[in-house]
Amino acid sequence: EAGYVVRSGARRPIGSGEAGLVEELLSPDLTDDFEVVRSTFLPGSSLPKFQTRATQEVGYLISGRLTVWIGDAEFHLNAGDSFRIRGEAHRWANPYSEPAVAIWVIAPPVY
């Protein structure tokens, strides 16, 4: 299975866990031109400062609600919404009482 399948109980934790963000790598490894990540934004968590990465990213909110700022625009996302970031300054916040879970495709990989 190595290199092809990632079992739900064997996902690789990634990121620092700072700001109430729990991330898991869904891709089997980081050898492709992109990575797929599952992110859980805990209630009350936020990334208070804008960050910019030399990436193209698409996110899909599976559950919960999330506020995302991309450049000067503020978006209030609900489960089923998706969004794109193309090397733009962005940040996020989950001011709600339930976790928000998103799937991201990021190119090139950043972890």
Side-chain angles (χ1 to χ4, degrees):
E1 291 185 340
Y4 296 97
V5 175
V6 179
R7 300 289 179 187
S8 64
R11 293 183 190 137
R12 181 173 130 191
I14 55 177
S16 65
E18 293 179 27
L21 176 60
V22 178
E23 297 178 291
E24 299 172 304
L25 184 65
L26 298 180
S27 303
D29 53 42
L30 295 173
T31 59
D32 294 311
D33 295 332
F34 63 90
E35 64 188 345
V36 181
V37 175
R38 181 181 191 269
S39 300
T40 302
F41 304 86
L42 300 178
S45 63
S46 70
L47 181 63
K49 294 183 181 179
F50 279 90
Q51 69 174 5
T52 303
R53 305 192 284 208
T55 58
Q56 291 190 34
E57 307 182 30
V58 174
Y60 172 73
L61 198 62
I62 294 173
S63 63
R65 296 178 289 168
L66 192 67
T67 302
V68 175
W69 291 264
I70 303 171
D72 293 331
E74 180 178 341
F75 304 97
H76 299 277
L77 306 175
N78 296 299
D81 293 341
S82 57
F83 57 94
R84 176 175 59 196
I85 302 167
R86 290 192 257 185
E88 299 152 296
H90 62 280
R91 67 185 189 94
W92 54 265
N94 180 0
Y96 309 105
S97 60
E98 70 275 354
V101 178
I103 302 296
W104 298 77
V105 177
I106 305 169
V110 294
Y111 292 104

